[in-house]
Amino acid sequence: MNHFTACLAILGIGAILCALFAGRPRAAAWIFRISLTFGCVLGLLQAFAGFAGGPVEVLRSSWQVPLGEFALAADPLSAFFLLLTFGICLPAGWFGEGYLAASRRLSANGSIRPLFLLMVAAISSVVCARNAVLFIAAWEIMALCSFMLIMAEHEEPVVRRASRSR
Protein backbone atom coordinates (compact mmCIF):
# COMPACT_ATOMS: atom_id res chain seq x y z
CA MET A 1 0.00 0.00 0.00
CA ASN A 2 2.96 2.35 0.24
CA HIS A 3 2.85 2.91 -3.56
CA PHE A 4 -0.80 3.87 -3.29
CA THR A 5 -0.23 6.13 -0.29
CA ALA A 6 2.58 7.90 -2.13
CA CYS A 7 0.35 8.15 -5.22
CA LEU A 8 -2.43 9.89 -3.26
CA ALA A 9 0.09 12.17 -1.55
CA ILE A 10 1.68 13.21 -4.85
CA LEU A 11 -1.69 13.86 -6.47
CA GLY A 12 -2.87 15.88 -3.45
CA ILE A 13 0.31 17.92 -3.13
CA GLY A 14 0.30 18.45 -6.90
CA ALA A 15 -3.27 19.78 -6.71
CA ILE A 16 -2.31 22.21 -3.96
CA LEU A 17 0.78 23.41 -5.84
CA CYS A 18 -1.17 23.80 -9.08
CA ALA A 19 -3.70 25.94 -7.23
CA LEU A 20 -0.94 28.04 -5.70
CA PHE A 21 0.75 28.54 -9.08
CA ALA A 22 -2.51 29.20 -10.94
CA GLY A 23 -1.32 32.70 -11.83
CA ARG A 24 1.68 31.24 -13.62
CA PRO A 25 0.21 28.79 -16.16
CA ARG A 26 3.55 27.45 -17.43
CA ALA A 27 4.73 26.56 -13.93
CA ALA A 28 1.33 25.08 -13.08
CA ALA A 29 1.43 23.01 -16.26
CA TRP A 30 4.81 21.52 -15.35
CA ILE A 31 3.74 20.84 -11.78
CA PHE A 32 0.59 19.19 -13.14
CA ARG A 33 2.50 17.00 -15.62
CA ILE A 34 5.09 15.91 -13.07
CA SER A 35 2.62 15.13 -10.29
CA LEU A 36 0.19 13.40 -12.66
CA THR A 37 2.94 11.27 -14.18
CA PHE A 38 4.54 10.23 -10.89
CA GLY A 39 1.19 9.75 -9.17
CA CYS A 40 -0.18 7.57 -11.98
CA VAL A 41 3.03 5.54 -12.29
CA LEU A 42 2.95 4.81 -8.56
CA GLY A 43 -0.73 3.94 -8.85
CA LEU A 44 0.04 1.57 -11.72
CA LEU A 45 2.78 -0.05 -9.63
CA GLN A 46 0.20 -0.60 -6.89
CA ALA A 47 -2.18 -2.11 -9.45
CA PHE A 48 0.48 -4.54 -10.65
CA ALA A 49 1.32 -5.41 -7.03
CA GLY A 50 -2.38 -6.14 -6.48
CA PHE A 51 -2.29 -8.61 -9.37
CA ALA A 52 0.71 -10.39 -7.86
CA GLY A 53 -1.60 -12.28 -5.52
CA GLY A 54 0.24 -11.66 -2.27
CA PRO A 55 -1.49 -10.73 0.95
CA VAL A 56 -3.74 -7.68 0.67
CA GLU A 57 -2.34 -4.83 2.74
CA VAL A 58 -4.92 -2.52 4.25
CA LEU A 59 -4.03 1.09 5.00
CA ARG A 60 -5.88 1.93 8.20
CA SER A 61 -6.07 5.16 10.10
CA SER A 62 -8.33 6.52 12.79
CA TRP A 63 -11.03 8.78 11.49
CA GLN A 64 -13.42 10.99 13.42
CA VAL A 65 -16.41 9.84 11.37
CA PRO A 66 -19.09 7.54 12.77
CA LEU A 67 -19.41 4.01 11.42
CA GLY A 68 -15.92 3.33 10.33
CA GLU A 69 -12.29 4.04 9.97
CA PHE A 70 -10.23 5.30 7.08
CA ALA A 71 -9.34 2.04 5.29
CA LEU A 72 -7.96 1.52 1.78
CA ALA A 73 -6.79 -1.74 0.17
CA ALA A 74 -5.98 -2.97 -3.31
CA ASP A 75 -7.12 -6.54 -3.87
CA PRO A 76 -7.00 -8.07 -7.40
CA LEU A 77 -10.41 -6.60 -8.34
CA SER A 78 -9.41 -3.14 -7.12
CA ALA A 79 -6.10 -3.54 -8.93
CA PHE A 80 -7.93 -4.08 -12.22
CA PHE A 81 -9.87 -0.84 -11.78
CA LEU A 82 -6.73 1.01 -10.65
CA LEU A 83 -5.07 -0.14 -13.84
CA LEU A 84 -7.96 1.29 -15.86
CA THR A 85 -8.10 4.51 -13.84
CA PHE A 86 -4.43 5.38 -14.02
CA GLY A 87 -4.01 3.95 -17.52
CA ILE A 88 -6.72 6.30 -18.81
CA CYS A 89 -6.13 9.37 -16.63
CA LEU A 90 -2.42 9.65 -17.44
CA PRO A 91 -2.83 10.10 -21.22
CA ALA A 92 -6.06 12.09 -20.69
CA GLY A 93 -4.21 14.57 -18.48
CA TRP A 94 -1.39 14.97 -20.97
CA PHE A 95 -3.89 15.42 -23.79
CA GLY A 96 -5.79 17.93 -21.68
CA GLU A 97 -2.66 20.04 -21.29
CA GLY A 98 -2.52 20.42 -25.08
CA TYR A 99 -6.19 21.35 -25.06
CA LEU A 100 -5.59 23.96 -22.35
CA ALA A 101 -2.63 25.43 -24.21
CA ALA A 102 -4.77 25.88 -27.33
CA SER A 103 -7.47 27.78 -25.43
CA ARG A 104 -6.52 31.09 -23.85
CA ARG A 105 -9.75 31.22 -21.88
CA LEU A 106 -9.23 27.76 -20.37
CA SER A 107 -5.52 28.20 -19.72
CA ALA A 108 -6.38 31.25 -17.61
CA ASN A 109 -8.73 29.10 -15.50
CA GLY A 110 -6.54 28.06 -12.59
CA SER A 111 -8.93 25.44 -11.22
CA ILE A 112 -8.77 22.86 -14.01
CA ARG A 113 -5.44 21.25 -13.13
CA PRO A 114 -6.09 20.90 -9.36
CA LEU A 115 -9.58 19.56 -10.02
CA PHE A 116 -8.27 16.93 -12.42
CA LEU A 117 -5.64 15.75 -9.93
CA LEU A 118 -8.23 15.60 -7.15
CA MET A 119 -10.60 13.70 -9.43
CA VAL A 120 -7.93 11.07 -10.18
CA ALA A 121 -7.18 10.67 -6.45
CA ALA A 122 -10.90 10.40 -5.66
CA ILE A 123 -11.56 7.81 -8.38
CA SER A 124 -8.73 5.65 -7.11
CA SER A 125 -9.97 6.07 -3.53
CA VAL A 126 -13.47 4.96 -4.57
CA VAL A 127 -11.97 1.80 -6.04
CA CYS A 128 -9.92 0.99 -2.94
CA ALA A 129 -12.33 2.13 -0.20
CA ARG A 130 -13.01 -0.50 2.45
CA ASN A 131 -16.03 1.07 4.13
CA ALA A 132 -19.19 2.81 3.00
CA VAL A 133 -18.44 6.21 4.54
CA LEU A 134 -15.08 6.54 2.77
CA PHE A 135 -16.62 5.21 -0.44
CA ILE A 136 -19.40 7.81 -0.39
CA ALA A 137 -17.05 10.66 0.55
CA ALA A 138 -14.63 9.78 -2.26
CA TRP A 139 -17.55 9.32 -4.67
CA GLU A 140 -18.88 12.81 -3.86
CA ILE A 141 -15.45 14.39 -4.32
CA MET A 142 -15.11 12.59 -7.65
CA ALA A 143 -18.58 13.72 -8.78
CA LEU A 144 -18.05 17.36 -7.76
CA CYS A 145 -14.64 17.53 -9.44
CA SER A 146 -16.07 15.99 -12.63
CA PHE A 147 -18.97 18.45 -12.64
CA MET A 148 -16.69 21.43 -12.14
CA LEU A 149 -14.37 20.22 -14.90
CA ILE A 150 -17.30 19.93 -17.28
CA MET A 151 -18.52 23.39 -16.29
CA ALA A 152 -15.12 24.96 -17.01
CA GLU A 153 -16.53 25.90 -20.41
CA HIS A 154 -19.83 27.17 -19.00
CA GLU A 155 -20.04 29.90 -21.65
CA GLU A 156 -21.04 27.26 -24.20
CA PRO A 157 -24.80 26.52 -24.16
CA VAL A 158 -24.18 22.85 -24.99
CA VAL A 159 -21.98 22.50 -21.90
CA ARG A 160 -24.64 24.05 -19.66
CA ARG A 161 -27.23 21.64 -21.07
CA ALA A 162 -24.88 18.67 -20.57
CA SER A 163 -24.34 19.59 -16.93
CA ARG A 164 -28.07 19.54 -16.26
CA SER A 165 -28.83 16.34 -18.16
CA ARG A 166 -30.49 13.58 -16.21
Side-chain angles (χ1 to χ4, degrees):
M1 265 333 268
N2 31 355
H3 291 307
F4 190 66
T5 307
C7 163
L8 293 179
I10 288 172
L11 292 172
I13 291 169
I16 292 168
L17 290 175
C18 282
L20 291 175
F21 283 91
R24 298 178 51 202
R26 290 180 61 113
W30 277 108
I31 292 167
F32 174 79
R33 287 183 183 119
I34 290 168
S35 57
L36 178 70
T37 302
F38 282 116
C40 286
V41 166
L42 286 171
L44 288 169
L45 288 174
Q46 182 62 49
F48 292 130
F51 285 129
V56 176
E57 294 180 42
V58 179
L59 172 66
R60 295 183 192 279
S61 179
S62 62
W63 196 13
Q64 299 300 321
V65 175
L67 302 174
E69 64 181 345
F70 185 89
L72 296 167
D75 57 16
L77 180 62
S78 298
F80 173 73
F81 287 105
L82 285 177
L83 184 67
L84 290 176
T85 299
F86 294 120
I88 291 170
C89 288
L90 181 60
W94 277 83
F95 174 80
E97 273 302 311
Y99 187 74
L100 285 177
S103 171
R104 284 198 178 139
R105 184 177 33 132
L106 286 178
S107 63
N109 186 344
S111 65
I112 291 176
R113 291 177 183 101
L115 285 172
F116 188 83
L117 292 172
L118 287 176
M119 184 188 70
V120 174
I123 292 170
S124 59
S125 297
V126 164
V127 168
C128 293
R130 288 299 177 246
N131 65 42
V133 176
L134 178 59
F135 177 86
I136 291 170
W139 186 275
E140 289 301 322
I141 292 168
M142 175 196 67
L144 287 172
C145 289
S146 301
F147 175 77
M148 288 188 272
L149 285 169
I150 291 168
M151 287 304 293
E153 290 188 290
H154 60 86
E155 294 87 8
E156 302 289 330
V158 108
V159 172
R160 287 194 302 271
R161 278 193 309 274
S163 70
R164 291 188 303 263
S165 67
R166 296 176 190 141

